[in-house]
Amino acid sequence: MSGIEGKVVAITGASSGIGEATALLLAARGAKTVLGARRPERLAALAARIEKAGGDAVWSRTDVTRREDLSGLVELARDHYGKLDVLVSNAGVGLISRLDDLRVEDWEEMIDVNLKGVLYGIAAALPVFREQGFGHFVNTVSTAGLRIVPLQSVYAGTKNAVRTISEGLRQEAGDSLRVTVVSPGAVRTDFAERMDPAVKGQIDKMMETALAPDAVARAIAFAIEQPDGVDVGDIVVRPTAQG
């Protein structure tokens, strides 16, 4: 029996990319998956795919900028499965641009999704984890926060804020809760779809050597499958070709 089998894992941003790959991998290894994202049709299709393969999944439309949606996702896990073992806060947006462009609405959206969305997840799950006496936060950040480059200032700032909050949470968590930060490099997702066309061209070039989302899913699974008392704090996963 693996360290994943039977665990109840809620995943935000589950309708595509890293979230979708993580749901498929964990379900294949015996986890009960609770899927959250903004696109219900994608969630329904993913849940059906998991169940067809013999896995177990439920889903709820989840906009991480709405605190009540995160509370609802956690309650769905408890109502359906009786507990929540892991919350994977994966939903994120990367609307990168030069600061001179003053795309303030994009800045605000990244703060709302990438940072406040994680905080809302913590607010929803932490009381449940405390009541249960166990629980695991897995927060997806980015290598953009490890090497700061032009165009990514605000994006990297939101990811580094989550990195800082996660470390504080780890230190406050005590010996019954676990906190993991996963920092992916370039991953083949729809990350660049809403970017300025000039910027999108640069990102599309980078994607030629990018990782498949499954590579990040395996890193998340590694952290989850560790035995009780083992906290994998920080994982960096990037292409060998990435500088």
Side-chain angles (χ1 to χ4, degrees):
M1 182 174 178
S2 76
I4 292 173
E5 188 172 354
K7 285 189 174 179
V8 178
V9 184
I11 306 166
T12 67
S15 62
S16 64
I18 293 169
E20 179 183 31
T22 300
L24 289 168
L25 179 63
L26 295 180
R29 295 190 183 182
K32 301 178 187 301
T33 54
V34 183
L35 313 174
R38 288 182 292 185
R39 294 177 285 185
E41 69 287 351
R42 296 288 298 268
L43 291 174
L46 176 59
R49 184 178 171 189
I50 288 171
E51 290 170 351
K52 185 176 181 181
D56 202 336
V58 293
W59 63 271
S60 175
R61 185 188 185 281
T62 305
D63 180 346
V64 299
T65 67
R66 293 167 50 88
R67 183 177 175 184
E68 58 268 32
D69 283 12
L70 271 302
S71 296
L73 189 68
V74 169
E75 284 308 305
L76 175 63
R78 298 184 82 192
D79 290 345
H80 204 79
Y81 298 117
K83 63 173 182 172
L84 176 66
D85 291 282
V86 186
L87 174 62
V88 180
S89 290
N90 169 74
V93 292
L95 307 174
I96 66 175
S97 62
R98 291 180 57 82
L99 290 171
D100 284 316
D101 293 341
L102 299 180
R103 297 179 66 161
V104 177
E105 291 80 6
D106 288 353
W107 302 349
E108 291 173 337
E109 184 174 350
M110 285 188 283
I111 291 168
D112 288 344
V113 174
N114 299 350
L115 175 53
K116 291 172 70 175
V118 173
L119 287 169
Y120 290 160
I122 293 170
L126 186 56
V128 173
F129 288 169
R130 292 297 192 199
E131 179 185 333
Q132 295 175 161
F134 60 86
H136 190 175
F137 292 99
V138 179
N139 297 331
T140 303
V141 290
S142 174
T143 57
L146 301 176
R147 179 172 178 266
I148 311 302
V149 297
L151 307 179
Q152 299 189 25
S153 304
V154 178
Y155 175 70
T158 62
K159 293 298 187 177
N160 272 345
V162 172
R163 193 186 309 279
T164 300
I165 290 164
S166 299
E167 174 58 16
L169 177 61
R170 184 193 69 80
Q171 294 188 39
E172 293 181 16
D175 60 5
S176 60
L177 306 186
R178 303 195 291 183
V179 182
T180 300
V181 168
V182 180
S183 300
V187 181
R188 290 195 299 272
T189 67
D190 56 5
F191 179 79
E193 289 306 306
R194 293 176 54 201
M195 292 180 187
D196 176 86
V199 175
K200 185 176 181 298
Q202 297 179 39
I203 299 299
D204 286 342
K205 181 70 174 176
M206 184 176 66
M207 289 299 168
E208 294 175 5
T209 57
L211 298 170
D214 184 68
V216 185
R218 289 195 300 273
I220 292 171
F222 172 79
I224 292 172
E225 71 185 358
Q226 298 307 305
D228 292 343
V230 177
D231 193 357
V232 178
D234 205 337
I235 304 176
V236 179
V237 186
R238 57 187 158 210
T240 54
Q242 182 174 330

